[in-house]
Amino acid sequence: MSEQFNVVEYTCEQLDSISAHVQKKHPENMWMIDIQHVFWKEARDAHKNGKKLIYWCGPIPTELFYAFDCV
């Protein structure tokens, strides 16, 4: 298994598919998908946009990351 797997890219691709489905079946729920789209696409494009990407878990307010221009 020498193939590499990019979890963030895969998640963005899956969200594109989910978004198309929800748009057809339940357009009133698109706000939930849009929030995830923004979050994961920012994570995917952080390095390309010159930002630091921080993975965290716990009770740290995300506003601190945005204040320091991080994703």
Side-chain angles (χ1 to χ4, degrees), residues 1 6 10 12 20-22 25-26 29 31 34 36 38 40 44-46 51 53-56 60 62 65-67:
M1 289 190 62
N6 186 331
Y10 177 77
C12 287
H21 174 76
V22 172
K25 301 287 184 177
H26 305 284
N29 294 335
W31 66 272
D34 289 340
Q36 293 182 43
V38 169
W40 286 104
R44 181 191 63 196
D45 299 336
K51 295 188 176 200
L53 180 62
I54 299 173
Y55 286 101
W56 86 100
I60 300 172
T62 57
F65 301 140
Y66 289 108

Side-chain angles (χ1 to χ4, degrees), residues 40-52:
W40 286 104
K41 287 183 178 183
E42 279 185 2
R44 181 191 63 196
D45 299 336
H47 184 70
K48 181 172 60 174
N49 295 331
K51 295 188 176 200
K52 302 280 186 193

